[in-house]
């Protein structure tokens, strides 16, 4: 059973737009997202709504505050476990990131398949900030095995800063901890 929800404006203007990920010289695209944003999420099947305040940390779109309200009945703990927050964050990211369809709705059978390292770095970034699966999406799009995807993502990470596990800062700090510095 798939949980349905609807995003609505909360009447709060989005914060200033910030860029993330690499600039794609081939297409002239640069990913961007509001630094802060607020959306109302309506869960008709659960009889609740949630006011979700998010902040882009430079690495990920994170929930800063969430306020859940009943639409006619009480908010039970069972309802709270069914909020599908990763899906909500993804839907918000698709709504607020300009041209998100380029990275969010990849089609492996696309005639003019884009495979360049900049595009794949942008896919990685979008999937990461939207609580998706960066490696999984790249694997499915490129029809690569997990090992092959890991190899190519490591190569991409040498040319473009990537967030999360492939972040250069995280690798440097991990190396310092291992050396005892």
């Amino acid at each position: 059973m798939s949980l349905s929800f609807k995003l609505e404006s909360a009447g709060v203007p989005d914060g200033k737009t910030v860029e993330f990920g690499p600039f794609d010289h081939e297409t002239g695209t640069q990913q961007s997202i509001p630094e802060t944003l607020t959306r109302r999420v309506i869960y008709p099947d659960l009889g609740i709504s949630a006011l979700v305040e998010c902040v882009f940390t430079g690495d990920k779109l994170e929930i800063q505050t969430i306020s859940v309200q009943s639409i006619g009945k009480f908010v039970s703990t069972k309802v709270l476990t069914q909020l599908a927050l990763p899906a909500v964050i993804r839907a918000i990211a698709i709504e607020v990131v300009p041209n998100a369809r380029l990275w969010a709705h990849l089609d492996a059978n696309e005639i003019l398949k884009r495979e360049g390292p900049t595009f794949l770095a942008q896919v990685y970034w979008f999937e990461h900030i939207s609580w998706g699966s960066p490696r999984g999406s790249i694997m499915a799009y490129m029809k690569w095995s997990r090992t092959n995807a890991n190899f190519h993502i490591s190569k991409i990470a040498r040319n473009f800063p990537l967030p999360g596990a492939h972040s250069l800062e995280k690798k440097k700090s991990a190396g310092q901890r291992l050396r005892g510095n």
Side-chain angles (χ1 to χ4, degrees):
M1 178 180 125
S2 174
L3 179 67
S4 67
F5 60 86
K6 184 177 127 188
L7 294 179
E8 293 182 351
S9 169
V12 178
D14 292 344
K16 115 180 151 166
T17 302
V18 295
E19 295 177 337
F20 66 93
F23 179 80
D24 189 336
H25 293 280
E26 182 181 321
T27 62
T29 56
Q30 174 70 54
Q31 295 166 307
S32 63
I33 191 168
E35 231 174 7
T36 59
L37 56 98
T38 304
R39 295 294 183 273
R40 180 167 310 287
V41 186
I42 308 295
Y43 297 90
D45 299 340
L46 299 177
I48 64 167
S49 72
L51 189 64
V52 180
E53 296 176 17
C54 299
V55 62
F56 178 64
T57 64
D59 181 67
K60 210 168 202 174
L61 186 59
E62 298 282 2
I63 294 176
Q64 190 169 40
T65 306
I66 186 167
S67 172
V68 180
Q69 296 179 329
S70 169
I71 306 173
K73 55 184 175 180
F74 293 104
V75 179
S76 70
T77 55
K78 180 181 179 189
V79 165
L80 292 174
T81 63
Q82 298 176 34
L83 295 181
L85 294 176
V88 168
I89 293 295
R90 177 139 182 115
I92 291 171
I94 289 170
E95 177 188 295
V96 300
V97 173
N99 300 313
R101 62 178 167 59
L102 293 173
W103 310 287
H105 303 293
L106 298 173
D107 182 2
N109 299 317
E110 200 176 285
I111 293 172
L112 297 172
K113 188 173 185 179
R114 297 186 54 219
E115 302 178 358
T118 308
F119 175 74
L120 294 177
Q122 288 181 328
V123 168
Y124 192 98
W125 266 97
F126 182 81
E127 287 294 322
H128 180 77
I129 69 125
S130 68
W131 295 18
S133 173
R135 180 181 49 223
S137 291
I138 290 172
M139 284 171 57
Y141 181 64
M142 297 301 294
K143 297 182 180 176
W144 285 340
S145 68
R146 183 181 188 90
T147 303
N148 200 16
N150 287 342
F151 170 76
H152 286 285
I153 290 168
S154 292
K155 276 180 55 177
I156 291 167
R158 286 193 286 273
N159 295 311
F160 302 100
L162 293 179
H166 291 279
S167 167
L168 191 57
E169 291 80 31
K170 285 186 181 179
K171 286 183 179 183
K172 284 181 182 176
S173 67
Q176 289 174 345
R177 282 194 308 270
L178 288 174
R179 288 190 299 274
N181 294 336

